[in-house]
Structure formats: structure tokens, C-alpha cells
Amino acid sequence: MVKVYGYYRSGNNFLLQSLIKNFKFENIETTINSAKEYERFKNTFHFDSLLQNSLKYNQISSNVWVHPYGGLIGGHHKHNFDPTGIYIIRNPRDVMFSFWKVSRNPGEFEQWCSLKQLNLWKEHLNHHLGIKFFYIKYEDLRDNFQSTMKKISSHFNLSPISDSYVSLDTLVGWGPLNNKEKLEGKTRESKDFSNDLNKIFQPYVDFYLNIK
């Protein structure tokens, strides 16, 4: 068994889809028995945004919903140590820019982004790194897919479906960054920030890049 944890907009869905597509899992179906709980959890991960429309809660009676892969979902909130947990980390530039894109009426990005939001991201990371979660970087999963999946398989003793892992990047248009971009902490998704915004982000990007 394995569960996916991570801060908002950090690649949880990408990792979940990759696990489901490449490993054999048993007895990971979960059930919700109240409408209130369903409303709380129904959008925890938008499984239908990438590959398979069936990867969401299915209503089987008036107050019963079933998720075929619910046992893999750890969540976005802070958690205590979970030996089955994978914590996924993403460059804060992309985290914040992605957050901004899905926000309602966010205004301009530079007015929307704040030190408070960046500190919440860093606090979340420090909490999970401090209790020694097994972690991977979103960028490693995207750019070094085969080796990252092998690392996950070895650590959690997962059984692959086939001899080679099926990457999602060709299906959703992701491509690897070159070495210069990686070293500079640049990202595919985030736009060019102003000099003032870059100064604000730089300590957080440095913190992220120094996580090995």
C-alpha cells in the first residue's frame, strides 16, 4: 500500500495517475456513507482531469459513494508520519502560479501572491520533511520518470504492471527542462516574473533546490 501526500497544486494528481497506471494494487477501494462527507471529499483530487474519467467517486445508492482508488489518497493537509506515504514537492514558483490560475477572481498574479502564501508552503514542507516522509520532487517525476518510478517501486516494494513504466508526459504535453533551466530554478508553467517578485521568491526557490 502507498498513499500520496503533498501541498496544494504540487502534482498529487500526476503522481496518483502515474501510480495507478503502472502498479498493481488490491483492496484500495474506499466508501463514503454520508452526503456531508461526500461533499467534503468529492473534489480532493480531480482524477478526471487527465486520463480516466472513471477515477472519481461513484454514487451507488442515495447515500453511498465508492472511490475505486481512494486508498491511495493521503491528502493535502498536514499529517503525522505514515510509513506508506509519498510526499510530493514542487518548485514554489509553479505551486503559486498554478494556485493563482485556479483561484476565483484572483486579479494580477503579482498582487495575488504574498509572503504569507509562500510561508504556508514552506511550513507544510518542513513539517513533512521533519518527520521523515519518503518524498519525491514533481520535476523528477516529470523529467526523470523511469528512474523515479523505480525508486518508488523499490522503496515500497510495489509490483509493476509491465517491464517499463508508462509516462503521462506525452499525453499532457510536459517535456523535460534543460540543465541550465534546472540550475536556475526556472519552470515550464510559471511566467517570467518581475525583478521584485523574483527577489521575493528566490529564498523559497533556493530552499526547494537544496532539498536532496
Side-chain angles (χ1 to χ4, degrees), residues 45-103:
F45 294 108
H46 299 283
F47 281 107
D48 53 336
S49 64
L50 289 180
L51 298 180
Q52 301 180 42
N53 290 326
S54 62
L55 300 184
K56 56 187 177 181
Y57 281 104
N58 301 309
Q59 188 170 12
I60 60 174
S61 68
S62 59
N63 279 303
V64 178
W65 292 263
V66 173
H67 198 303
Y69 298 99
L72 299 178
I73 299 174
H76 294 302
H77 300 294
K78 287 182 181 178
H79 292 269
N80 294 322
F81 176 68
D82 181 350
T84 70
I86 303 177
Y87 186 77
I88 187 165
I89 306 168
R90 190 181 188 186
N91 190 303
R93 291 168 62 99
D94 277 351
V95 171
M96 294 302 150
F97 193 68
S98 181
F99 233 143
W100 172 73
K101 289 204 303 183
V102 300
S103 298

Side-chain angles (χ1 to χ4, degrees), residues 190-209:
S190 55
K191 64 178 182 178
D192 292 330
F193 295 164
S194 68
N195 288 335
D196 288 342
L197 197 58
N198 275 323
K199 289 178 181 178
I200 293 172
F201 265 93
Q202 197 57 53
Y204 299 90
V205 172
D206 290 343
F207 171 77
Y208 162 80
L209 293 174

Side-chain angles (χ1 to χ4, degrees), residues 152-167:
I152 293 171
S153 176
S154 175
H155 185 86
F156 293 101
N157 195 27
L158 300 178
S159 299
I161 293 174
S162 64
D163 293 336
S164 62
Y165 299 109
V166 179
S167 173

Side-chain angles (χ1 to χ4, degrees), residues 65-139:
W65 292 263
V66 173
H67 198 303
Y69 298 99
L72 299 178
I73 299 174
H76 294 302
H77 300 294
K78 287 182 181 178
H79 292 269
N80 294 322
F81 176 68
D82 181 350
T84 70
I86 303 177
Y87 186 77
I88 187 165
I89 306 168
R90 190 181 188 186
N91 190 303
R93 291 168 62 99
D94 277 351
V95 171
M96 294 302 150
F97 193 68
S98 181
F99 233 143
W100 172 73
K101 289 204 303 183
V102 300
S103 298
R104 294 182 179 178
N105 303 315
E108 292 297 322
F109 178 70
E110 294 197 17
Q111 282 70 52
W112 176 89
C113 189
S114 69
L115 283 174
K116 178 180 179 181
Q117 290 166 330
L118 285 165
N119 285 329
L120 286 172
W121 168 85
K122 186 175 181 181
E123 180 185 342
H124 200 275
L125 260 66
N126 276 329
H127 171 79
H128 291 89
L129 294 175
I131 55 178
K132 302 186 185 305
F133 261 72
F134 177 84
Y135 68 88
I136 64 168
K137 288 187 174 182
Y138 169 92
E139 290 74 16

Side-chain angles (χ1 to χ4, degrees), residues 1 12 36 39-40 61 69 75 84 86 88 133 136 145 150 168 182 189 193 204:
M1 177 62 73
N12 302 54
K36 183 177 180 180
E39 288 300 317
R40 178 184 175 191
S61 68
Y69 298 99
T84 70
I86 303 177
I88 187 165
F133 261 72
I136 64 168
F145 188 81
K150 287 179 182 177
L168 310 185
K182 290 179 184 177
E189 183 171 295
F193 295 164
Y204 299 90

